[in-house]
Amino acid sequence: MAGRDDARKLGLADYEYDEIVKTLGREPNYLELGMYSVMWSEHCSYKNSKPVLKRFPTSGPRVLQGPGENAGIVDIGDNLAVVMKVESHNHPSAVEPYQGAATGVGGIIRDIFTMGARPVALLDSLRFGSLDDPRVKYLFSGVVSGIADYGNCMGIPTVGGEVYFDDSYRDNPLVNAMCVGIIQHDRIVKGRAAGVGNSVMLVGSTTGRDGMHGASFASEELSEDSVAKRPSVQVGDPFMEKLLLEACLELLQNKWVVGIQDLGAAGLTSSSCETAARAGSGIELDVALVPRREENMTPYEVMISESQERMLVIVEKGHEQDVKKIFEKWDLNAVKIGTVTDDGMLRVLENGTVVAEVPARSLADGAPSVKRESRKPDYMETLDVDLSSIKIPADLNDVLIKLLSSPNIASKAWVYQQYDHTVRTDTVVPPGSDAAVLRIKGTKKGIALTTDCNGYYCYLDPYEGGKQAVAEAARNLVVAGARPLAITDCLNFGNPEKPGVYYQFEKCVDGMAEAARYLNTPVISGNVSFYNETRENAIYPTPVVGMVGLLEDVEKRCTMAFKKEGDVVVLLGENTDELGGSVYLREVMGVKGGRPPRLNLDVEKRVQDCCLKAIELGLVHSAHDVSEGGLAVALAESCIAGNTGFSGEIETELRHDAVLFGEGQSRIIMSLPEENLSLIQKIAGESNVNISVLGFVKQGNFKIEVKHKGVNIGKIDIPVEEIAGIWGNAIRWKVEN
Amino acid sequence: MKCAVIMFPGSNCDVDCYHACRDVLGQPTEYVFHKEKFSSVDFDLIVLPGGFSYGDYLRAGAIARFSPAMESVIKAAEAGKLILGICNGFQILLEAKLLPGAMKRNRDLKFHCHDVFLRVENNNTPFTGLYKKGEIIKVPIAHGEGNYFADRDTMEKLKARGGVVFTYCDRDGNVTEEANPNGSVENIAGIVSEQGNVLGMMPHPERCAEDILGNTDGRRVFESILQYVEGSVAHGR
């Protein structure tokens, strides 16, 4: 039997141990305790976050599957649906960047095809420390290669994502992988172990000692000793997963498949107890039947191993040979290891002898949830910045160059050119624009995809930052011509036991929930990653929003590139004098703090609707949202993407650095033939959206003058080739030098 | 024209090549699983698609060449059928010795996915008849092991017989070091066999064969093949 000391060593609190004893009516043995320790870890149980996550809107007319399954599903019409989920693999990537990132990708792909869907796209939201740090370069390069090698081998295009660099992520990088699949409504499969007497089969790879206690490792802070946990990091085999994908999709064509679930964190333990808990059944399995890659493994090791590329399949009794036949075609294992029972127990046998017996539901859902203390952190009281003391630089060309060479704004081509983003021949807007767009063969439809979060905004004001993450994701889809449909989120925070961190978490969720409700984009799946901190330093609160949007006619897609000389360039929305949280203030002026830009959801919605209407009517040639770096950077990016110049003028009463580089929200720039201008103005007027002419697409320089009452108060005038070179190569130079 | 797309375990451009042959070109197309053999008379065109056959954990293509389907591919090549190997398919053709030379990892050891410019060096092949000689086309690459190598002797012979079909070049057609994405000897991107019926190329013509993809430069590879095959039928060859 195992006591409290053992429980503590496995990371369980005393009250959790007591709960286990109460549930079992006896002390657990060591195997049982080990299973509880992984299932009741934060990573598997969400015990710290459950009550707060209930604040998200999770339903809607298009939602076919909300949170609680392996992935969320949203209807896109014509009997088709999008399946999506994002998940973190932060801790493994911090100690073993290549395998950590690779297996993160592998895990999220399995979550998608487990639902019966064909995975069609990957996105990755990444955060690292400053690229001046040699270890950060190692982590960054390793993570990018890990993602590339896994996704590329799978033949799933990596079409989008984000990368940010900030010291708060130095020792605890964030690696959030998102996968998107397409499925027909009548092909949706769930992770349920139903039907007494049905067979439980383990398919795919063999089981070894890799990734022991990965879920627990993900649920504690990183420390100097964390490198010793490298054996907790799983090892990926994308070739095996490619075979598993094809075999599973072939298998799932059959009506006699009852349920399927991938083996992710907590391996066989989680997949067996979760499938049983969902169906209200039990499972009896014998570990001796599990195909292994190492000798002398104990039942404990078999039950909690996180060896990759494995699936648990529940099939109607009598169809075991049919399963074997399919998997043999793909040279994969398929072995019956147990049966579905009706007693609600997860019973583990070794050669017929019971070695563990616990209620499946208690393991899967029984972790006592914790309401943590939440308190506004002290640093938030000292964020105010006196803008009047900040002098506006005279050389605005220099400011623009500094912004475009910031790795947070510069082109991410060094990253996405290592990812195969054109395989499957559906990528009609490749990475580098606001959102990626994929066509859906055999239909007129397309889907647009993005991930977004400004962690610095969330640090400065968690509520506004959370709101802004959702609004910006939606805006990025809208400028591509898509109607935003749904969210999958990955909530990355520090140690939730600290009241300040918990406050950030709650407020971010509240902000996200409000925006999601307002913009009709329910949260259909997601993941929470706590304990992202080292040596007392938590990361910026980083609630990454993955969003999908629908284009009924993919031919109506839009990109950010200026297309035609002579086109008029307009701004939807209003400039503001906000500078807090901007890249300009922090990286160019060296001033940390301030309030991030305010977001008025009503204005945001109207700007988005107006932009979408203009695109759907075919009135515009380009659309691009104004985000990091402000209006000047947005215009410069449209020039660089279109390989053309711009000439314009802005009349304002505001500080001109705020007009050019401030990150005021709910703004979109569009270019259009001049003859469409009056119609756009009319539409904007009807939507009560501010519209102003900024200038014209012109060959030659990127040129913009700011005037106050007709008098020139600031000017940018710079050749486009020059800024294109700087923007295009900044990350390469940093990494390779 | 009857087309076959071979599915090796780990092939992942099989669906794209199938789509190009069947939907874009409008020709009857079948998948052939790597464990199956077929007869040389079954198909006019056999496509070896891109991907990571057997994971490419050894050399790319090194294991795929031993598969049963490859025995049939080799027989079909000997019978003069058209074989098109793209990316991993090219690597397999090299390993199977249907084409000369070998493939190394890219010079910078990184995977490269982006558009490149190619110069059509030889348009007198069944695969390039609809291009002009010296024409510059834009085609995407997506590979980590595309650094083509052949010894001096092989190169001399290859060039002498017009075996080099595509070379990497810049936008203006200059074959420069900067335009070489992977370190291939003499910027080689695609070569053809001595009999002219086996083509291997690293860039992906199937990824730029439709208007919606923003580039149709690769489509003429497939159209050239169709024209050649239909011409051969017409001429009773």
Side-chain angles (χ1 to χ4, degrees), chain B residues 2-20:
Chain B
K2 285 183 290 180
C3 311
V5 176
I6 313 287
M7 289 169 82
F8 297 100
S11 290
N12 60 33
C13 304
D14 44 355
V15 284
D16 304 349
C17 292
Y18 183 86
H19 175 68

Side-chain angles (χ1 to χ4, degrees), chain A residues 98-167:
Chain A
Y98 180 90
Q99 290 295 349
T103 50
V105 172
I108 200 66
I109 294 171
R110 284 196 300 281
D111 277 336
I112 299 307
F113 70 81
T114 298
M115 306 297 294
R118 164 70 64 179
V120 297
L122 290 164
L123 296 92
D124 298 284
S125 182
L126 311 177
R127 303 290 184 285
F128 300 94
S130 159
L131 277 179
D132 299 325
D133 183 324
R135 183 169 160 83
V136 170
K137 284 187 204 184
Y138 154 75
L139 292 173
F140 177 47
S141 309
V143 164
V144 171
S145 326
I147 290 170
D149 284 359
Y150 209 104
N152 296 351
C153 185
M154 291 297 294
I156 303 168
T158 301
V159 298
E162 343 144 71
V163 194
Y164 283 97
F165 303 91
D166 184 280
D167 278 338

Side-chain angles (χ1 to χ4, degrees), chain A residues 564 566-568 618-621 671-678 680:
Chain A
K564 199 157 177 278
D567 275 359
V568 61
L619 298 174
V620 303
H621 283 156
S671 69
L672 46 130
E674 210 171 350
E675 63 263 28
N676 293 346
L677 182 60
S678 57
I680 297 255

Side-chain angles (χ1 to χ4, degrees), chain B residues 48 59-66 70-71 73-75 77-78 83 88-103 148-151 154 158 161 191-195 197-200:
Chain B
L48 276 59
R59 285 184 321 279
I63 300 179
R65 79 174 174 101
F66 294 107
M70 274 309 288
E71 279 179 41
V73 170
I74 291 168
K75 281 190 187 135
E78 284 162 359
I83 318 286
N88 194 230
F90 184 12
Q91 294 159 342
I92 295 167
L93 290 175
L94 294 172
E95 291 289 338
K97 307 267 186 261
L98 286 172
L99 290 170
M103 213 55 94
Y148 179 77
F149 180 78
D151 59 35
T154 309
L158 184 66
R161 64 173 175 80
I191 59 174
V192 70
S193 65
E194 202 159 350
Q195 289 68 35
N197 63 322
V198 181
L199 179 88

